[in-house]
Amino acid sequence: MTGFIPSGSTRLFSVVGDPIDQVRSPSVLTRLLVDQGEEAVVVPMHVAAADLPTLFQALHTVRNIGGILVTVPHKQEAFGLCATATDRAAFVEAANVVRRLDDGWHGDNTDGLGYLDGIERQGFAVAGRKCLLIGCGGAGSAIALEIMRRGASLLAIHDIDRERRDAVIAKLDRYYRGRVVVGSADPAGYDLVANATPLGMRPEDPLPIDVSKLESRQFVACVVTKPEVPPLIEEARRRGCRTMTGAGMFDAQAATLVDFLLTRPSEREVGLKQD
């Protein structure tokens, strides 16, 4: 990105969230865009939930805005503001990236791809494994879907919002009969322990699981990108577990996000099939 100076022909992309200081998108994606010959920049925007519809409407009037990246807590609301969406975004009813259409926004959700690709980069595959997922919001539901798409033998989901948890389990059960169940904060017996909550971003946050039950054979992953090594990952490493941080998740999906924003056809979008 050396020597890049924005001009009047620069394309703009934004990343919206609340909070926003933890995001990696501005630096990582701007570099990827520029390295691919695009005159483009990704700009962070700190936006409260109540203001998201107004922002989406306003940004659509800006002709050189190409798309918006979406982080916590806006992913489900962003999906509702899309005119069209990919199959996976529609299934989880959440979008972490949208691109500009003439008549609105087109949304996708790449969180599941990034999370599982990041885990696989660390040498762990979920096929045939028992998995525990903590949190099934906008990112978590996408991760749940991708875990099952990649052949997990069992997925247990724990979420303090029981209604949301049960809705996600019921939806997945239509495609993966009997393999998605209610979980708890006890990680004993699972091969993968996956945190998809923001717990760990703030110093006062509790740990999302009972770390005293972790075993060195387990793989532990977390969506939190700041701090760079979240408390859950620190505890898991202390117990000899292999791990992936939120940075690993984001870096694994960065190229997919750029392809989507530049309207390149995705080879990763496949339809859902019942077992």
Side-chain angles (χ1 to χ4, degrees):
M1 201 166 66
T2 303
F4 173 69
I5 301 175
S7 71
S9 58
T10 299
R11 291 186 74 191
L12 301 178
F13 298 91
S14 67
V15 51
V16 299
D18 182 17
I20 197 66
D21 64 333
Q22 80 281 2
V23 297
R24 294 168 59 82
S25 309
S27 59
V28 175
L29 296 192
T30 297
R31 184 178 299 277
L32 280 176
L33 288 162
V34 173
D35 286 349
Q36 295 185 33
E38 298 291 328
E39 186 177 343
V41 63
V42 178
V43 181
M45 295 185 176
H46 190 173
V47 182
D51 298 321
L52 196 68
T54 301
L55 178 71
F56 268 50
Q57 183 178 11
L59 289 183
H60 195 268
T61 67
V62 181
R63 297 298 180 87
N64 63 326
I65 288 280
I68 306 170
L69 299 139
V70 185
T71 189
V72 291
H74 300 322
K75 295 177 183 182
Q76 288 159 321
E77 176 75 8
F79 172 77
L81 297 171
C82 290
T84 59
T86 63
D87 287 346
R88 59 178 166 240
F91 183 84
V92 302
E93 298 182 20
N96 74 323
V97 60
V98 304
R99 68 170 176 248
R100 190 179 186 278
L101 304 175
D102 289 341
D103 58 350
W105 301 101
H106 176 63
D108 194 6
N109 194 313
T110 64
D111 282 329
L113 295 177
Y115 204 88
L116 273 295
D117 285 352
I119 289 171
E120 289 183 0
R121 287 184 178 185
Q122 299 300 319
F124 183 89
V126 299
R129 305 290 187 94
K130 294 181 179 180
C131 305
L132 172 65
L133 175 67
I134 310 298
C136 56
S141 54
I143 292 166
L145 174 60
E146 194 64 21
I147 286 173
M148 297 312 300
R149 277 182 165 175
R150 299 197 190 194
S153 63
L154 179 75
L155 173 62
I157 299 177
H158 174 61
D159 195 299
I160 58 173
D161 185 333
R162 295 183 178 182
E163 184 176 348
R164 178 170 67 184
R165 176 203 66 192
D166 292 346
V168 171
I169 291 173
K171 190 182 291 187
L172 286 168
D173 190 63
R174 298 202 300 267
Y175 299 92
Y176 307 101
R177 189 74 64 187
R179 290 162 56 194
V180 185
V181 300
V182 174
S184 71
D186 182 350
Y190 296 98
D191 301 299
L192 170 68
V193 179
N195 177 44
T197 77
L199 291 176
M201 288 178 62
R202 301 174 301 180
E204 67 271 21
D205 284 343
L207 291 167
I209 62 166
D210 181 355
V211 295
S212 70
K213 302 290 184 64
L214 286 175
E215 307 167 47
S216 60
R217 69 173 186 84
Q218 295 173 306
F219 192 101
V220 180
C222 186
V223 297
V224 173
T225 57
K226 189 176 182 180
E228 184 176 347
V229 181
L232 172 62
I233 298 301
E234 285 186 355
E235 292 291 341
R237 290 176 178 175
R238 190 172 293 123
R239 288 163 172 78
C241 302
R242 288 181 291 165
T243 64
M244 180 198 72
T245 66
M249 170 190 172
F250 178 79
D251 291 346
Q253 66 178 311
T256 301
L257 289 167
V258 167
D259 285 346
F260 180 82
L261 290 170
L262 297 179
T263 68
R264 295 168 180 161
S266 172
E267 298 177 358
R268 309 292 298 279
E269 175 62 18
V270 294
L272 288 165
K273 297 185 296 181
Q274 291 185 334
D275 280 356

